[in-house]
Amino acid sequence: MTRARDAIEAEDKLDVILACRPVYTRNQDVAAFQLLLHGEKPAEGASLSDIEATNTVILGTYTHVFQGGKTRSVPSFLKVTDEVLMAPELPNLPKKQYILEIPNNLMLTSELVDRLKALARRGYRLAMDGYDPGDDELDVLLDIFHIVKIDVRDSDADSLRRISEKLRGHGVELLADQIADRTRFQQCLELGFDYYQGDFLSTPSPVKGKKIAGNKLLLLQLLTELHSPDASPARLEEIAIKDAGLTYRLLKTVNSAAMGLRREVNSLSDAIALLGLEEIKRWANLFLIDGEMHKPEALTRGMLIRGRMCEVLAELSDQEGGQQSTSVNHFIVGLLSQLDALMDIAMPELMEQVPLSQDVKSALLERRGPLGAVLTEVEAYEAGRFDALSLLSERAYYEVAYRHSTAWARQVQQAMGYQD
């Protein structure tokens, strides 16, 4: 595994902080990303200088997602200021890659309305943020916009039905925003929304008494051995070869580009000799989250990003104290922090089934200790709560760490052989 500091130092630093929230289709695939950009005017949206500073990075990293066995390019919602909208010439914003999101607090002057109409005629896709059905002044814009975002937190099913029927008459696509759980997602699905955004994908729906599936039991046995102070390559190989498919996938993965090895690995003991027990532990945990039936790839993608970013921030802030084992623990905490959502098993019950140290369990259950502190920091970054960040003195490193983790997750998904 590439040391985080070396990878981060090689990247260009931005003057803004940037994260991405996925926007999903009905099938819970990633349809687009919402850019959370904290620049000159964080409350108002991206300025011309913000766009100029981030455009290359956005197009080079954040618009790509590995999904359905392929790396795909998806558009990004970018909230912009009135300065951008009224500029004589827009920055280099490819029409296929950006959806211009118009804040609902802009002053609706005739000049602005004419400008929005002109942008729509030129092929730019426009999204209205925070539609208020009680504001009749917004109705004049509905025939201009392509997508309307609706905050569903404070509306019941009947209200949402009336809103959606009204907007359908204007031919716009509907995005249900701030969906907190799967019950709310199902409700919006039945109402015919086109796109969905919120934390519903990572919110667990625990099934009481459910156990980790049988095909994961061998992995748990392998993890138990990896956590043993007496673990040996011979014993680990003895466990792994009981499942030829698992052994094959482990070897296929460690030979992939994601690992950067200079020669081919032909046996698990060979892999352990090259990579070490801690790196094999990392990949055993990766396979624990892999292949859950009826779960979207987007959830696994988010878990991978979080795991790697926890590890990177720990190294950058010297939380690991130079110990590789601690670095792996930060990775495992981030990776498994949404295991309850992936497996529909409550986290306390999962902690009884998965062999982990008490420090890791405390971080996952209560966000306690140094491991829990780093996880909390990463969760704040993902949610766009940038003012809550305190771990790193140089704030530019957060975005680079996130960018690196996003690219790493895409590489790992490809290496693990995700397919339709």
Side-chain angles (χ1 to χ4, degrees):
M1 176 66 64
T2 303
R3 295 290 290 174
R5 189 175 296 278
D6 294 339
I8 297 307
E9 290 292 349
E11 295 286 350
D12 292 332
K13 312 295 187 299
L14 300 181
D15 293 329
V16 301
I17 300 181
L18 173 65
C20 299
R21 291 177 66 210
V23 176
Y24 304 104
T25 66
R26 296 175 62 84
N27 295 327
Q28 299 174 64
D29 292 328
V30 175
F33 288 108
Q34 171 79 57
L35 298 175
L36 305 176
L37 196 151
H38 194 275
E40 287 184 336
K41 302 176 180 178
E44 299 178 30
S47 67
L48 288 169
S49 60
D50 293 336
I51 293 171
E52 184 178 348
T54 60
N55 190 37
T56 301
V57 168
I58 290 169
L59 296 178
T61 301
Y62 293 123
T63 61
H64 300 292
V65 59
F66 190 80
Q67 191 165 255
K70 297 179 181 179
T71 299
R72 306 173 188 272
S73 180
V74 297
S76 297
F77 285 79
L78 177 65
K79 184 181 290 188
V80 293
T81 61
D82 54 355
E83 171 205 20
V84 173
L85 294 173
M86 301 307 296
E89 289 293 333
L90 283 179
N92 182 24
L93 296 176
K95 298 180 180 68
K96 290 185 177 181
Q97 293 305 127
Y98 284 102
I99 300 168
L100 303 182
E101 185 174 323
I102 314 305
N104 60 357
N105 58 356
L106 286 186
M107 182 74 69
L108 286 181
T109 63
S110 58
E111 187 180 10
L112 177 60
V113 172
D114 289 342
R115 180 62 169 165
L116 292 174
K117 288 179 179 178
L119 289 171
R121 284 195 299 269
R122 288 167 56 188
Y124 286 97
R125 285 176 290 176
L126 305 178
M128 182 186 296
D129 177 38
Y131 173 72
D132 180 1
D135 188 349
D136 295 335
E137 289 187 7
L138 295 177
D139 290 352
V140 70
L141 298 177
L142 292 177
D143 293 329
I144 304 173
F145 281 81
H146 304 84
I147 299 171
V148 174
K149 298 178 68 173
I150 301 168
D151 188 332
V152 302
R153 287 176 294 185
D154 299 323
S155 299
D156 57 28
D158 288 339
S159 298
L160 287 176
R161 183 176 291 105
R162 288 193 296 272
I163 294 170
S164 62
E165 288 174 353
K166 174 183 176 179
L167 293 175
R168 289 286 181 202
H170 291 270
V172 297
E173 293 184 300
L174 306 182
L175 191 159
D177 194 16
Q178 302 294 341
I179 304 176
D181 54 43
R182 296 185 199 178
T183 300
R184 194 61 156 164
F185 168 70
Q186 186 61 40
Q187 186 182 75
C188 293
L189 196 66
E190 292 170 359
L191 289 172
F193 280 80
D194 300 284
Y195 304 109
Y196 307 83
Q197 191 171 13
D199 296 328
F200 65 95
L201 207 65
S202 57
T203 302
S205 299
V207 178
K208 190 173 182 180
K210 184 180 178 183
K211 302 296 183 183
I212 292 177
N215 62 343
K216 304 289 188 182
L217 294 179
L218 191 65
L219 267 172
L220 288 176
Q221 188 180 354
L222 190 65
L223 280 168
T224 300
E225 187 66 26
L226 281 164
H227 282 271
S228 167
D230 301 321
S232 68
R235 174 59 182 153
L236 292 167
E237 195 156 43
E238 180 184 330
I239 294 171
I241 60 176
K242 293 177 183 178
D243 186 332
L246 172 62
T247 303
Y248 170 77
R249 290 197 67 204
L250 273 169
L251 294 178
K252 176 177 177 287
T253 301
V254 299
N255 279 308
S256 71
M259 300 301 296
L261 299 179
R262 295 185 180 180
R263 68 178 179 85
E264 186 174 358
V265 174
N266 296 307
S267 68
L268 187 59
S269 57
D270 196 13
I272 293 169
L274 274 173
L275 303 173
L277 286 175
E278 295 301 331
E279 196 61 33
I280 297 300
K281 184 189 297 183
R282 180 196 313 275
W283 287 92
N285 278 278
L286 283 171
F287 282 116
L288 184 64
I289 73 167
D290 177 40
E292 281 299 302
M293 294 295 290
H294 312 302
K295 293 295 182 178
E297 291 177 329
L299 177 56
T300 305
R301 174 186 176 276
M303 296 171 76
L304 291 169
I305 293 173
R306 184 177 291 184
R308 182 58 173 158
M309 190 167 179
C310 281
E311 182 177 27
V312 171
L313 291 192
E315 183 178 334
L316 292 176
S317 62
D318 295 323
Q319 290 287 313
E320 64 175 86
Q323 300 180 18
Q324 173 71 1
S325 60
T326 306
S327 172
V328 172
N329 283 343
H330 280 285
F331 171 80
I332 290 172
V333 164
L335 182 77
L336 301 187
S337 61
Q338 297 176 88
L339 189 64
D340 51 353
L342 187 74
M343 296 190 170
D344 288 327
I345 302 174
M347 190 63 80
E349 293 182 38
L350 276 172
M351 292 302 96
E352 294 176 2
Q353 299 182 48
V354 181
L356 295 169
S357 69
Q358 190 55 51
D359 286 348
V360 171
K361 290 183 177 182
S362 294
L364 290 171
L365 290 169
E366 301 169 339
R367 303 301 189 262
R368 289 175 55 186
L371 294 170
V374 173
L375 175 58
T376 299
E377 190 95 343
V378 173
E379 289 174 326
Y381 189 91
E382 292 173 341
R385 299 194 306 272
F386 302 128
D387 291 339
L389 302 176
S390 61
L391 196 62
L392 303 182
S393 56
E394 290 191 57
R395 289 170 67 86
Y397 280 113
Y398 283 102
E399 187 280 326
V400 183
Y402 183 72
R403 190 195 321 165
H404 163 83
S405 301
T406 298
W408 181 86
R410 186 169 61 247
Q411 197 175 21
V412 168
Q413 280 186 295
Q414 190 168 6
M416 291 175 73
Y418 278 71
Q419 298 294 334
D420 281 320

